[in-house]
Amino acid sequence: MATVVEPKTAPTLAKEEPGFSAREGANWSDYLAFRPVYPKSFFNHIYEYHFQKPQAVHSVAHDVGAGCGIVSSSLASRFDKVIVSDPNDGYTALARKLLVEQSGLGSGKFTFLQEGAEKSSAGSGTVDLVTACEMMHWTDTAVAIKEFNRVLKVGGSLAVTYYTVPRIVGNDAAEKIWRAIWLAYAERAQGELYDHAFGIVNSAFQSIGLPEDGWERVKRVYINTGGSLVPFQIDDRLTESRVREDEEAVWVEGDKDWYDVQGLDWLKGYLATWVPRIPESDIQGLWDGLDAALNGKPANLETPLVLIFATKKA
């Protein structure tokens, strides 16, 4: 039976030291090396939702919780200005280095802000698109959603996205051990901060509500999930659903842009991108078991994800 995590504000620790931080073991070099690369189809979902609206424009996008600017770099190709924000020390400085100094996109394209999702210095009604990718579980989601509504123009778009742990397909024995590895990780991730985050991710972000008085055209797109929310559930911590009856749900299977083939070393590297980091030696027996189950062959991987879209009401 799932442990229900009651909806509440994010822990104090999450405000003072957001979860995906150096303090908790985050490493951007590992992240860029082992996390999935956002494919063209991912951005197509976002742009198709936003630009299909007659009033849609491409003046300003705000990438909230942007980290080192992975999503921001794509937004820069479609929007005149991009606000890049993140609460963690050094993250926006790294984003500036990657986006401006190394990619040469031009400093005039971006505004860099060190701030959290719950309170932005962006003006009210000034943003056309807000993206919140792979970060909402570290926030007070209700407050963040309200703040996104404030900064958006009427008719502006919100895109909240989350990909979860890839599944090993075609090798049931390996997948069983892979899941055991993640359960061991979850057992390490304890305390108020992680109870809050796990309750949200295990719900496939269904615990994130879009109140009817502020949002319309709410759409949740589930990709490579097998028609189920189970692939998102790392352990039994779960927050109640806030999905509205009038929301549109779309289920997409077989998106090969989220397929991959990787060996054991990559799987170890991928786990190391999640915080808190769990030493390999602590679960050596599980890694040995996965190595044996793979029998020297790479694993076929399929990543499930959810994209939530909404439009600011007049």
Short mmCIF file of all heavy atoms in Angstrom, two decimals, residues 84-92 112-116:
data_model
loop_
_atom_site.label_atom_id
_atom_site.label_comp_id
_atom_site.label_asym_id
_atom_site.label_seq_id
_atom_site.Cartn_x
_atom_site.Cartn_y
_atom_site.Cartn_z
N VAL A 84 16.43 33.06 -17.93
CA VAL A 84 17.03 31.82 -17.42
C VAL A 84 17.15 31.96 -15.91
O VAL A 84 17.95 32.77 -15.43
CB VAL A 84 18.41 31.57 -18.06
CG1 VAL A 84 18.98 30.24 -17.60
CG2 VAL A 84 18.34 31.64 -19.58
N SER A 85 16.36 31.20 -15.15
CA SER A 85 16.39 31.37 -13.70
C SER A 85 16.60 30.04 -12.99
O SER A 85 16.16 28.98 -13.45
CB SER A 85 15.09 32.02 -13.20
OG SER A 85 13.99 31.16 -13.35
N ASP A 86 17.30 30.11 -11.87
CA ASP A 86 17.54 28.95 -11.01
C ASP A 86 17.96 29.47 -9.64
O ASP A 86 18.70 30.45 -9.55
CB ASP A 86 18.62 28.04 -11.59
CG ASP A 86 18.61 26.66 -10.96
OD1 ASP A 86 19.10 26.52 -9.81
OD2 ASP A 86 18.10 25.73 -11.61
N PRO A 87 17.51 28.81 -8.55
CA PRO A 87 17.84 29.31 -7.22
C PRO A 87 19.22 28.93 -6.70
O PRO A 87 19.71 29.53 -5.74
CB PRO A 87 16.76 28.67 -6.34
CG PRO A 87 16.44 27.38 -7.05
CD PRO A 87 16.54 27.71 -8.51
N ASN A 88 19.85 27.95 -7.29
CA ASN A 88 21.10 27.44 -6.75
C ASN A 88 22.30 28.32 -7.09
O ASN A 88 22.41 28.84 -8.21
CB ASN A 88 21.37 26.02 -7.26
CG ASN A 88 20.60 24.98 -6.49
OD1 ASN A 88 20.83 24.78 -5.30
ND2 ASN A 88 19.67 24.32 -7.15
N ASP A 89 23.21 28.43 -6.14
CA ASP A 89 24.43 29.21 -6.36
C ASP A 89 25.22 28.64 -7.53
O ASP A 89 25.48 27.44 -7.61
CB ASP A 89 25.31 29.18 -5.11
CG ASP A 89 24.75 30.02 -3.97
OD1 ASP A 89 23.93 30.91 -4.26
OD2 ASP A 89 25.13 29.78 -2.81
N GLY A 90 25.60 29.51 -8.45
CA GLY A 90 26.49 29.13 -9.53
C GLY A 90 25.81 28.57 -10.77
O GLY A 90 26.45 28.49 -11.83
N TYR A 91 24.54 28.21 -10.69
CA TYR A 91 23.90 27.57 -11.84
C TYR A 91 23.67 28.55 -12.99
O TYR A 91 23.91 28.21 -14.15
CB TYR A 91 22.58 26.92 -11.43
CG TYR A 91 22.75 25.62 -10.66
CD1 TYR A 91 23.98 25.26 -10.11
CD2 TYR A 91 21.68 24.77 -10.47
CE1 TYR A 91 24.12 24.09 -9.39
CE2 TYR A 91 21.82 23.58 -9.76
CZ TYR A 91 23.04 23.25 -9.22
OH TYR A 91 23.19 22.08 -8.51
N THR A 92 23.18 29.74 -12.69
CA THR A 92 22.96 30.68 -13.78
C THR A 92 24.29 31.20 -14.34
O THR A 92 24.37 31.53 -15.53
CB THR A 92 22.08 31.86 -13.32
OG1 THR A 92 22.63 32.45 -12.13
CG2 THR A 92 20.66 31.39 -13.04
N PHE A 112 19.59 36.49 -16.90
CA PHE A 112 19.94 35.43 -15.95
C PHE A 112 19.55 35.89 -14.54
O PHE A 112 19.98 36.95 -14.09
CB PHE A 112 21.43 35.11 -16.02
CG PHE A 112 21.86 34.56 -17.35
CD1 PHE A 112 22.33 35.40 -18.35
CD2 PHE A 112 21.78 33.20 -17.61
CE1 PHE A 112 22.72 34.90 -19.59
CE2 PHE A 112 22.17 32.68 -18.84
CZ PHE A 112 22.64 33.53 -19.84
N LEU A 113 18.77 35.06 -13.87
CA LEU A 113 18.27 35.41 -12.54
C LEU A 113 18.50 34.25 -11.57
O LEU A 113 18.11 33.12 -11.86
CB LEU A 113 16.77 35.71 -12.59
CG LEU A 113 16.31 36.83 -13.54
CD1 LEU A 113 14.79 36.84 -13.61
CD2 LEU A 113 16.84 38.18 -13.08
N GLN A 114 19.13 34.53 -10.43
CA GLN A 114 19.23 33.52 -9.38
C GLN A 114 18.04 33.69 -8.45
O GLN A 114 18.04 34.54 -7.56
CB GLN A 114 20.53 33.62 -8.60
CG GLN A 114 20.67 32.50 -7.58
CD GLN A 114 21.97 32.51 -6.81
OE1 GLN A 114 22.94 33.12 -7.23
NE2 GLN A 114 21.98 31.84 -5.66
N GLU A 115 17.03 32.87 -8.67
CA GLU A 115 15.82 32.95 -7.87
C GLU A 115 15.00 31.67 -8.05
O GLU A 115 15.18 30.94 -9.02
CB GLU A 115 14.98 34.16 -8.26
CG GLU A 115 14.54 34.14 -9.73
CD GLU A 115 13.85 35.44 -10.15
OE1 GLU A 115 14.08 36.47 -9.50
OE2 GLU A 115 13.07 35.40 -11.12
N GLY A 116 14.13 31.41 -7.09
CA GLY A 116 13.32 30.20 -7.12
C GLY A 116 12.04 30.37 -7.91
O GLY A 116 11.65 31.48 -8.29
#
